[in-house]
Structures are given as C-alpha cells and as structure tokens.
Amino acid sequence: MLKIKMLSMVLSIWSIQPDRDELQKWGSRMLCYQCEQTTPGGGCSDIGVCGKEPDVADLQDLLIDAAQRLARSLSTVPAEQRPQGASAQLENALFTTVTNVNFDAESIEALIVAVDTMTDPANPEASGASREERLTNAYKVGISARRARQGENVTGLQDLLLFGLKGMAAYAHHARRLGRTDPVVDAFMIEALAKLAEGLSDPDALIALNLKCGEVTVAVLALLDGANTGSYGHPVPTAVRMGHVPGKAILVSGHDLKDLKALLEQTEGTGINIYTHGEMLPAHGYPELNKYPHLAGHYGGAWMRQRREFENFPGPILMTTNCIQRPAPTYEDRIYTCGLVAFPFVKHVEGSDFSALLEAAKATPGFTDETNAGDHLVGFGHNAVLSVADTIIDAVKSGALKKFVLIGGCDGVKFDRSYYTDLATSLPQDWAILTLGCGKFRVIGHDYGNIGGLPRLLDMGQCNDAFSAVKVAMALADAFECSINDLPLHLVLSWYEQKAICILLALLHLGVKNIRIGPSLPAFITPSVLQVLVDTFNVMPIDTVENDLKAMQAA
C-alpha cells in the first residue's frame, strides 16, 4: 500500500474542536450528505433530494450502526467460527443504504432485525423493538451527533471510509451472486466496520484504512470482472440499436447482469422483447447475453431521466439495483423491483421468478412502430482493447494518437454536467476518449471519428467494469515502461454515489495523481481534508472546459 507520512500535514486539521452543544441543537434532525446531489449547505435535511424520507434516513443510519456492531463482534472470533452468511449480511446492509437503492422503511427494518439477531441471537430485543423505539435513538448514530462528538474532519474521514465500503459492498454483492467471493475482501469489510464501530479517530489510521479500502476495491473489481466474464464471456465490440422495434416489451434498468440473464431466459420464445436502460447498455457486449435475439435494443438515457422515459415505455419495467427514483403515477403500476431494491408501493419480485413481468408485458400495448436513433458501439472491455494493444502503441509512437482522456463515472441532474459533453466534443481529433459508467450518456451520441482504424470513443462498460480501465492503464504503462502517471492519460471523473467513492480510493491506492473530479466535490470532504488530497495526489475539481483543456494540452 502507498505509504504516506501525513501526521505533520494533518495536525492543523484537527485543531477544530467538537461543539458539545450540537447534540442538543440538532436533536433528531435528518442529515445526509453521501451523494453529489445534496442540497446547498452540505447535506439534505428534512427530506433527501433523492426523495428519501426522514424515517428512512434514520433507519438507514441504524442499519449501518447495526452492521458496525455485527462486524465488531465478528472481529473478536476466528473466521471459521463466524456465522454462515455473515459477510453477505454485511454486504446487504451496506448496499441497501447506497443512494437510490431502498426507500422502504419496512424492508430496511427487517434487515436491522436480521443483523441484530446475527450479532446476538439470544437477545429478544433484536426483533422486539418497535419502529418508534428505534427511531427515538436514531439521532445518536447520525452525522450530526458524530460531528458534535468528534468534529467535522474526523467524521468526514470516517464517512469517506464508510461510503467507500458501501461502494465496495455493491461490487462484492454482484460478484457473490455469481458465485465469486474472496476471504480477503470479507476480512477487510469486517475490519473496517469494526474500527468505525470503535470510533476510530486517529487521522493517520483513518487515512491508511481509506487507502486500504482502495486496495481491496481493486481486488473486488477484479473479482467482479472475473465473475461477469466467466459467466457471460468477454465483451466484444457490438453495435446497439438506440431505439425499438414493434412488439411487446420489458425494460430492465440498474446494473445486475444475472437478473437480465434470467429474464432473457424466461422470455425466450414468448415474443416479448427485452430492452436495456441506463447502466444496462453495456450488457449488449457480452456474448452470452447478446446471443438472445429478443435483446432488442436500448431505450432511454441515464437513471435520472427515468420519470419521463418510463412514462412513455409501453410495458413493465424492472429495477435491478440502485438508480430507482420515486415512480410517477403514470407508471407506478408497471414498475417492479428485485433484490435489495425497494420502494413502499412498488411490487417486489422475490428471487428470480419474473413471471409477473411476463404477464404484465402481455397485458400492455408494447411498441407499434420502429425507431433507431443510431447505433452505439459497446464492448471495449480490457480484453477487447488489449487485443489491439499493438495498434494502439504504434499509433502513440507514430504520433497519430497523442493522448487518452477517460471521461466517465456517474451522471446526475445538475446543469453543469454539460461540462463533460463540452469537453468531449472539444478534444483534439488525435486524442482518444475512454468512457464508462452512466456518465457515458454525457459523451455518446456524437460522431468522434476514428484514429488509426480504431474508434476515437471506446465505451468500456458499466461503473462495475472500472477494472477494465485500470487493467488497460497498467498494461499500457508496462508497454511504455513508465508509471501510470507518466502515460499520456487524463482522468476526468463525474461522481454521484458511493461506488464512485470506492473507485476514487482505488485510484489513490494505485498512486494515480492529477484526477479531475466534478461537478462538485463531496460535502463530507472538508476543506482541510481536501487540502491533504491536493497536496498528496493533486486531486482537483473541474474548472471550465477551456482552462482544463489548456492544462491537459500543456501536461
């Protein structure tokens, strides 16, 4: 792990003393700042911009507290003596609280009971407490109370770790569903949550744990990559219809390829077409998914457009992971959730039996016309890119290809995310563009041309496929006998939720510097902590397209 001597740098950071009166001042007021969309002032209170109600926010805080207590109890016994399913339980608790996953108080409360029962099976209070009793004490484990006890800088570093763990758990959950686990990953999750349960406040120790979270994230991403490619084959460049054909239809959004595969199997031969939405777009590049002819195309854009787009989709909609918004009345009777996703009045599919969606598709109109807004090329995972590595290396050496710019991450609603579109369309013609995550929807839809017979725009997949970008960068560094920081590569990232946080920690663990992040910096990264990141890694917020492009050209 990258070693950093931080103590002298952070001594001044912790000069701000906790305000002991804050507990009384805040009471049980909701405060959430884990996503990029938080309201001005550093967090959402009263209700989340995402639509999260205060009771749900409090129950999520209590679920995380329960997970930390479970991890602390697990950390005191050898791995072989831990309850079966304990690591999966921790993953589920963490992933449930990721932004736009679960808005259903009842299902969150059931998870709290399950975690508490695993922590202490003999304690009848684990399942006996009422919701009101739980909520009465929720403020004690919330952000405001922790800030009051230990100051905003310590709390911010703790939450940087916690949010990184949430993102890591999401990736590990996908891998576990496909039968891939790693005891090192499970052990770190327990270790880090246990340290948070103990109230770890030493700055150097917190920074070290954050970087270790980045290290383990790299392992988790590799684990998930192996799970996906082992199950569905390595992605290959594939043209995807950005539109629809006549016929009955089901729309699948989120990230979970296993759910998509199950739905494709269950609809085979029924005359029902399956369409991807949002981060499911890259699924078309996997041979074992694309082999189904009724995987007919891609409908719509990124997650935050769903209320408008779902209204016009003439069939049922399946939400497989995070990305759900409060459904509009025009389609709330046609939307279904599965897995950890839940919304109070939305029908939930248990397991992988999607027969209810098939019946709903038969009862809805489907498409009566045909559209195609043009094909989009997916499937440039590390296997596809490295198969033409010699061509790329020759293009760089000849001067035909000057630089690579990775423009990716999460999309969101803010107007200033147009920066990413403007940057991509302003780049010189001899610069290649890499993209992944739903941030791609700010970049795709333009004709960027080719360089040396290769497309200038290479879509590397979902945020779940971030390992591809890491592997390609490391392979190119080896080929050019230099470090990643010496490559003609610029990283311009957009973030929205916690999976982006663990990706950032992974890049910092790898020693990657000069990362540009936007459209705004995390509210939990205080100015003092940000200065540490700037001084150590030269992490920087995005500026104007003109200024950033000049800086990249000069580098």
Side-chain angles (χ1 to χ4, degrees):
M1 180 183 290
L2 184 65
K3 302 294 183 183
I4 306 176
K5 294 183 178 179
M6 305 291 291
L7 189 56
S8 62
M9 301 174 64
V10 299
L11 283 177
S12 61
I13 294 177
W14 278 265
S15 60
I16 302 174
Q17 297 299 312
D19 183 352
R20 301 299 180 183
D21 295 327
E22 280 291 290
L23 275 172
Q24 184 67 34
K25 171 185 173 183
W26 282 90
S28 59
R29 181 184 178 188
M30 167 187 170
L31 180 61
C32 180
Y33 59 15
Q34 69 177 8
C35 85
E36 189 273 336
Q37 196 172 268
T38 52
T39 52
C44 292
S45 58
D46 302 320
I47 190 169
V49 172
C50 65
K52 183 165 57 177
E53 301 283 350
D55 281 4
V56 170
D58 285 347
L59 287 169
Q60 288 187 355
D61 287 344
L62 289 168
L63 178 56
I64 291 300
D65 180 63
Q68 290 176 357
R69 286 186 283 104
L70 173 57
R72 189 173 186 179
S73 71
L74 295 172
S75 69
T76 63
V77 298
E80 62 273 10
Q81 295 179 19
R82 292 168 184 167
Q84 186 174 7
S87 292
Q89 191 75 273
L90 291 175
E91 285 174 6
N92 289 346
L94 288 165
F95 194 5
T96 292
T97 65
V98 166
T99 304
N100 292 86
V101 174
N102 193 314
F103 295 80
D104 182 56
E106 185 175 337
S107 62
I108 297 171
E109 193 169 18
L111 269 171
I112 294 172
V113 171
V115 174
D116 281 345
T117 301
M118 184 171 281
T119 304
D120 186 1
N123 181 8
E125 294 184 4
S127 58
S130 68
R131 182 178 302 175
E132 289 71 23
E133 289 170 330
R134 295 183 197 280
L135 293 175
T136 297
N137 294 315
Y139 75 93
K140 295 179 181 179
V141 298
I143 295 167
S144 300
R146 292 189 293 113
R147 278 180 166 178
R149 289 193 298 268
Q150 59 199 14
E152 64 177 10
N153 290 298
V154 168
T155 303
L157 272 180
Q158 290 174 343
D159 285 339
L160 177 60
L161 174 60
L162 174 61
F163 300 155
L165 288 169
K166 289 186 179 188
M168 193 181 81
Y171 294 132
H173 173 85
H174 287 295
R176 188 180 296 274
R177 291 202 70 207
L178 294 174
R180 300 292 184 99
T181 59
D182 184 342
V184 173
V185 174
D186 294 345
F188 175 72
M189 195 170 297
I190 291 170
E191 174 195 358
L193 286 172
K195 292 292 186 184
L196 290 173
E198 294 164 4
L200 178 66
S201 59
D202 176 72
D204 284 340
L206 282 167
I207 290 167
L209 266 181
N210 271 288
L211 290 175
K212 188 174 180 181
C213 184
E215 178 184 13
V216 178
T217 293
V218 175
V220 171
L221 291 172
L223 190 72
L224 179 55
D225 177 75
N228 283 337
T229 57
S231 299
Y232 312 117
H234 282 281
V236 296
T238 304
V240 182
R241 172 194 285 267
M242 305 298 280
H244 59 260
V245 296
K248 302 291 187 180
I250 297 174
L251 186 64
V252 185
S253 191
H255 303 76
D256 201 292
L257 301 182
K258 184 174 183 178
D259 290 326
L260 175 60
K261 180 67 158 59
L263 187 59
L264 287 167
E265 291 172 343
Q266 293 172 35
T267 51
E268 189 173 18
T270 64
I272 300 172
N273 290 317
I274 305 300
Y275 294 88
T276 55
H277 176 268
E279 285 253 54
M280 281 294 194
L281 172 58
H284 292 263
Y286 287 93
E288 289 301 308
L289 300 175
N290 192 49
K291 71 180 184 181
Y292 293 92
H294 63 298
L295 183 60
H298 185 81
Y299 176 90
W303 66 273
M304 73 285 180
R305 300 176 184 174
Q306 66 187 251
R307 285 175 63 88
R308 181 178 70 248
E309 293 171 346
F310 289 2
E311 180 179 66
N312 297 318
F313 187 80
I317 302 144
L318 177 65
M319 299 300 299
T320 65
T321 57
N322 55 309
C323 291
I324 192 171
Q325 292 181 298
R326 177 182 292 275
T330 49
Y331 64 84
E332 64 184 23
D333 61 332
R334 293 186 286 110
I335 189 168
Y336 296 75
T337 59
C338 65
L340 297 175
V341 187
F343 213 95
F345 51 80
V346 170
K347 295 180 285 291
H348 189 78
V349 176
E350 296 294 343
S352 298
D353 179 4
F354 298 118
S355 55
L357 277 90
L358 272 67
E359 293 305 312
K362 294 173 183 176
T364 45
F367 289 109
T368 58
D369 61 343
E370 181 174 344
T371 66
N372 191 351
D375 292 341
H376 173 65
L377 205 57
V378 300
F380 289 97
H382 60 84
N383 194 64
V385 174
L386 294 180
S387 70
V388 293
D390 290 343
T391 301
I392 295 172
I393 292 168
D394 289 344
V396 172
K397 289 181 176 179
S398 71
L401 174 54
K402 293 290 196 305
K403 289 180 181 287
F404 302 89
V405 183
L406 174 62
I407 305 176
C410 311
D411 204 355
V413 299
K414 289 185 177 178
F415 175 77
D416 49 5
R417 286 179 181 266
S418 60
Y419 163 94
Y420 298 95
T421 306
D422 297 338
L423 177 64
T425 55
S426 300
L427 294 176
Q429 291 298 305
D430 52 6
W431 291 22
I433 306 167
L434 310 176
T435 190
L436 53 76
C438 63
K440 69 165 58 66
F441 290 101
R442 295 286 175 172
V443 176
I444 67 176
H446 301 269
D447 182 5
Y448 294 99
N450 299 281
I451 299 178
L454 296 173
R456 276 188 68 218
L457 177 66
L458 302 178
D459 186 341
M460 306 192 80
Q462 298 180 336
C463 64
N464 291 16
D465 300 313
F467 181 70
S468 278
V470 171
K471 191 163 184 176
V472 167
M474 295 176 73
L476 290 175
D478 287 342
F480 288 108
E481 299 181 344
C482 65
S483 71
I484 291 178
N485 292 317
D486 293 324
L487 287 172
L489 169 66
H490 297 281
L491 303 179
V492 187
L493 306 181
S494 54
W495 82 283
Y496 179 76
E497 41 89 342
Q498 296 78 67
K499 287 185 284 185
I501 297 302
C502 74
I503 296 296
L504 174 63
L505 293 177
L507 294 172
L508 298 183
H509 156 71
L510 293 171
V512 178
K513 297 184 178 182
N514 308 316
I515 302 169
R516 289 178 169 83
I517 302 176
S520 59
L521 295 176
F524 51 87
I525 301 290
T526 63
S528 299
V529 174
L530 174 62
Q531 192 59 50
V532 172
L533 296 178
V534 170
D535 292 343
T536 309
F537 300 102
N538 198 31
V539 172
M540 46 191 150
I542 59 172
D543 195 351
T544 65
V545 169
E546 181 182 11
N547 288 342
D548 283 345
L549 187 53
K550 285 181 180 178
M552 285 187 274
Q553 288 173 322

